[in-house]
Amino acid sequence: MEIMDATAPTHVAHRDNHTHRDVNGGWLRPAVFGAMDGLVSNLALMTGVAGGSLPPQAIVLTGLAGLAAGAFSMAAGEYTSVASQRELVLAELAVERAELRKHPKDELDELAALYTSRGVDPKLARQVAEQLSEDPEQALEIHAREELGIDPSDLPSPTVAAISSFGSFALGALLPVLPYLLGATAIWPAVLLALLGLFACGAVVARVTARSWWFSGLRQLALGGAAAGVTYALGALFGVVVG
């Protein structure tokens, strides 16, 4: 039987075929989806007002108001959500830290039992648990990962989440307003630019999915276009009723 050398370099074919997509999407997915949200919501808002046959000035004001309101709302909501999650995690970490200090043997037994349940030999599992528990901070990190599924050194920042949410939403919401700011007097340039933006966002999202870029782009374009069409029709209907 041929024995593999543990120090030998990984085979090129295996290394090339053993890479995986970022299943969490990193920063890309929330940023792109925030821009999509701004695009769809502000485009739908503006087309609804345009459907009511209001003047361009009213449509621009609506778009700018929608941009500001949506961006601040997204930022506030994201800050509150992430801050609450962070506070909960820190509270649970404090509980775990106290348990490690008060009942170190019980926590050690718990960690050894966990590794044993995963197929590690009981004696080896005990040795691993003892070695990992020598450093209190390392022990806390291991228990947090195993019991809570979190990394204490990589907690999300509420401020960063709020700023990124504000920026991505505002950028997306700005696209349908931009043609009016540059002198357009009709809704169609705003719709065209927004739909192109939606297609681009959908294509970028394909980087973290198994779908092709054109499928993802067309899907987002269709959904955004449908939202704009429905709100335009509603705006036209309510405009006639109110008028």
Side-chain angles (χ1 to χ4, degrees), residues 127-159:
Q127 292 174 344
V128 171
E130 289 175 348
Q131 186 171 356
L132 292 175
S133 299
E134 290 177 358
D135 181 357
E137 287 304 313
Q138 178 177 258
L140 175 64
E141 181 176 340
I142 296 297
H143 280 273
R145 287 178 181 274
E146 298 292 351
E147 297 177 27
L148 304 175
I150 59 173
D151 182 356
S153 63
D154 190 29
L155 298 182
S157 166
T159 302

Side-chain angles (χ1 to χ4, degrees), residues 24-51:
N24 292 320
W27 61 269
L28 178 63
R29 187 168 63 175
V32 174
F33 276 110
M36 282 186 185
D37 193 8
L39 261 169
V40 174
S41 61
N42 219 28
L43 174 63
L45 186 64
M46 292 173 64
T47 53
V49 173

Side-chain angles (χ1 to χ4, degrees), residues 55-79:
Q57 293 84 351
I59 299 174
V60 174
L61 181 60
T62 299
L64 292 175
L67 185 158
F72 280 111
S73 176
M74 288 284 291
E78 194 70 15
Y79 183 92

Side-chain angles (χ1 to χ4, degrees), residues 43-240:
L43 174 63
L45 186 64
M46 292 173 64
T47 53
V49 173
S53 300
L54 294 179
Q57 293 84 351
I59 299 174
V60 174
L61 181 60
T62 299
L64 292 175
L67 185 158
F72 280 111
S73 176
M74 288 284 291
E78 194 70 15
Y79 183 92
T80 302
S81 175
V82 174
S84 299
Q85 180 186 12
R86 184 184 179 91
E87 290 163 2
L88 175 60
V89 169
L90 291 176
E92 291 300 314
L93 288 175
V95 171
E96 190 63 35
R97 184 179 283 107
E99 287 298 310
L100 285 167
R101 186 177 63 254
K102 295 178 182 177
H103 309 287
K105 184 179 182 304
D106 292 338
E107 291 294 318
L108 178 61
D109 293 340
E110 186 178 281
L111 191 58
L114 176 64
Y115 291 140
T116 301
S117 70
R118 294 183 177 177
V120 180
D121 178 78
K123 184 177 180 180
L124 178 58
R126 184 76 184 185
Q127 292 174 344
V128 171
E130 289 175 348
Q131 186 171 356
L132 292 175
S133 299
E134 290 177 358
D135 181 357
E137 287 304 313
Q138 178 177 258
L140 175 64
E141 181 176 340
I142 296 297
H143 280 273
R145 287 178 181 274
E146 298 292 351
E147 297 177 27
L148 304 175
I150 59 173
D151 182 356
S153 63
D154 190 29
L155 298 182
S157 166
T159 302
V160 172
I163 292 174
S164 61
S165 180
F166 181 96
S168 60
F169 185 97
L171 182 61
L174 178 64
L175 276 187
V177 184
L178 196 57
Y180 282 99
L181 297 179
L182 295 177
T185 57
I187 190 64
W188 68 263
V191 173
L192 179 61
L193 183 59
L195 292 180
L196 288 174
L198 286 170
F199 181 86
C201 286
V204 170
V205 168
R207 291 187 56 185
V208 292
T209 67
R211 292 288 188 180
S212 60
W213 64 270
W214 59 265
F215 177 88
S216 184
L218 287 176
R219 178 174 59 184
Q220 194 58 40
L221 186 150
L223 292 173
V230 169
T231 54
Y232 183 89
L234 290 174
L237 176 63
F238 293 150
V240 172

